[in-house]
Amino acid sequence: MIQKSKILITGGAGFVGSNLVDALIGTNEIVVVDDLSMGSLNNLPRSPHLHFFKHSITDAAFMQQLLKAWCFDYIYLLAAVASVADTIQRPIATHEINEVANLNILETIKTERLSVQKLLFASSAAVYGNQPELPKAETSPIDPLSPYAIDKFATERFTIDYGRLFDIPTVATRFFNVYGSKQNPSSPYSGVLSLLSDSAKFDTPFTLFGDGEQTRDFVYVKDVVQALILLMRLPETTGRVYNVGTGHGVSLNTIISHFETIGGHKLRVTRTMPRLGDIQKSFADITALTKLGYRANYSIADGLLDYWRSLTTDQSNDGQNDHRKMKG
Ligand code: UD2
């Protein structure tokens, strides 16, 4: 385990970041930098070992000062504009966040000769685009189709290349479809499982694009956290990129029937045309991650049940939705 370390988590008040904070907070000093554009303070635990800065990572002077002052042992770069649609609308502004800000952090580490034990950048399966090859291995063709995917891929390369060129231990991940508690369902571009769980919880309509037979590699956030800690800890991951998923594709129809069983009522599903540019099937080859000892602890049934329990018992998740009445 990473223990008694100084850890920076950018985007630490967001979905994946705050779940990581929960896992690491016990034995470490954690610094979170988050502008709260998507994340929330409600996602974070109360602890004297948590140091929160409401700042954008694009504030280069602030980030430089912070990095120099803290001399972090480990750095997780999770802050990003996660909405693909937003990056298409605002390519320059989101490029500053998704790429330039991260490059500035790498530059500071290089120029200030900061001795970071390891830095991890969170990239995305979006880098594979619509290529038909399945499963998606780290060596599969890359085809970034949006500013989001282009910036993720470029920053992934910067991260690995800074590692090689300047002897900074770095690693990158490509997340598949992560789901779990604290995922913000407020946008139509939010992950489909946050929208479906919202629909199950509040009995609101869910719009299904296409026939529901499309598959995704839905990976539970607690398994993603397991991977994030493992990749940071093991020296052999340095200089490499890892898919983070389960290795299995599950259809939306299967997910809907799981939610109906768990929630105890039929979902109000409205069917419409497939979403433009949607891919039909996606799942990860996780051989490289598995070789490190990673095992997905949550099957889709277990993950959805755990997620559902967190939604129906954890008050912090109600903050975003308190304008609606909970399904009785
Ligand atoms: C994911 C990422 C996207 C990009 C893409 C690259 C999320 C939220 N999206 O898109 O950013 O990286 O991968 O491949 O992580 N769906 C519905 N109804 C809804 C919303 C979605 O039927 O209200 C369908 C959608 O048409 C798709 C599936 O659910 O077939 C999954 O949608 P998604 O947006 O959660 O994820 P994905 O894989 O399309």
Side-chain angles (χ1 to χ4, degrees):
M1 278 296 291
I2 304 169
Q3 279 182 345
K4 297 198 190 328
S5 301
K6 289 178 284 179
I7 304 174
L8 169 65
I9 305 178
T10 70
F15 165 41
V16 175
S18 61
N19 278 282
L20 182 63
V21 171
D22 287 341
L24 293 176
I25 191 70
T27 54
N28 301 292
E29 295 298 315
I30 312 270
V31 171
V32 167
V33 176
D34 198 304
D35 64 2
L36 302 181
S37 54
M38 277 299 279
S40 164
L41 278 180
N42 292 334
N43 288 341
L44 290 170
R46 307 268 176 275
S47 164
H49 303 292
L50 178 65
H51 312 269
F52 176 76
F53 296 92
K54 184 178 181 305
H55 257 278
S56 168
I57 57 166
T58 58
D59 185 341
F62 166 77
M63 289 305 298
Q64 190 175 32
Q65 208 179 15
L66 183 84
L67 288 160
K68 280 163 67 181
W70 275 82
C71 295
F72 294 106
D73 301 305
Y74 298 96
I75 298 178
Y76 286 98
L77 300 179
L78 304 184
V81 172
S83 161
V84 172
D86 196 11
T87 69
I88 293 168
Q89 287 291 318
R90 301 186 301 129
I92 296 172
T94 58
H95 172 72
E96 291 295 320
I97 301 162
N98 289 355
E99 186 176 337
V100 178
N102 290 309
L103 184 53
N104 276 327
I105 291 170
L106 289 165
E107 261 298 284
T108 299
I109 293 168
K110 180 191 95 182
T111 52
E112 300 294 333
R113 298 175 191 276
L114 301 176
S115 70
V116 177
Q117 292 196 34
K118 198 177 273 179
L119 175 147
L120 180 149
F121 172 70
S123 179
S124 163
V127 303
Y128 297 118
N130 257 339
Q131 293 290 318
E133 187 176 305
L134 280 175
K136 308 284 187 198
E138 291 87 349
T139 49
S140 293
I142 296 298
D143 187 16
L145 296 173
S146 62
Y148 174 79
I150 293 166
D151 283 336
K152 281 291 182 189
F153 186 58
T155 309
E156 182 188 308
R157 296 320 315 164
F158 272 125
T159 300
I160 299 302
D161 290 347
Y162 261 65
R164 289 200 186 118
L165 291 169
F166 308 115
D167 205 21
I168 304 165
T170 61
V171 59
T173 57
R174 291 178 185 159
F175 291 158
F176 279 67
N177 293 65
V178 187
Y179 71 97
S181 74
K182 304 182 193 178
Q183 190 169 25
N184 186 337
S186 67
S187 142
Y189 305 105
S190 297
V192 69
L193 286 201
S194 68
L195 299 168
L196 265 169
S197 66
D198 227 32
S199 165
K201 186 173 172 183
F202 299 104
D203 200 21
T204 48
F206 170 74
T207 307
L208 177 61
F209 301 125
D211 63 3
E213 282 307 298
Q214 63 266 52
T215 63
R216 293 293 184 272
D217 191 330
F218 292 108
V219 56
Y220 195 46
V221 70
K222 289 185 182 174
D223 280 329
V224 172
V225 166
Q226 179 207 156
L228 288 172
I229 294 172
L230 192 69
L231 291 169
M232 220 27 145
R233 184 167 59 82
L234 297 178
E236 61 264 40
T237 64
T238 293
R240 299 198 56 183
V241 178
Y242 290 86
N243 284 339
V244 178
T246 66
H248 304 285
V250 179
S251 75
L252 283 190
N253 287 333
T254 304
I255 300 279
I256 289 169
S257 67
H258 274 300
F259 267 120
E260 292 183 338
T261 308
I262 294 167
H265 65 95
K266 279 282 208 206
L267 295 196
R268 291 166 52 195
V269 177
T270 314
R271 286 169 192 273
T272 184
M273 298 291 287
R275 195 165 64 177
L276 195 69
D278 230 14
I279 52 174
Q280 189 60 19
K281 306 238 175 266
S282 161
F283 65 97
D285 179 337
I286 57 162
T287 309
L289 192 58
T290 306
K291 278 189 186 149
L292 301 173
Y294 168 88
R295 298 286 176 276
N297 290 327
Y298 291 84
S299 66
I300 191 71
D302 293 342
L304 288 176
L305 188 59
D306 197 61
Y307 181 27
W308 180 255
R309 286 192 181 131
S310 75
L311 286 172
T312 48
T313 54
D314 177 3
Q315 294 306 306
S316 70
N317 281 292
D318 287 346
Q320 289 140 358
N321 304 312
D322 48 16
H323 56 286
R324 281 166 297 187
K325 237 172 112 355
M326 194 173 148
K327 169 91 182 160

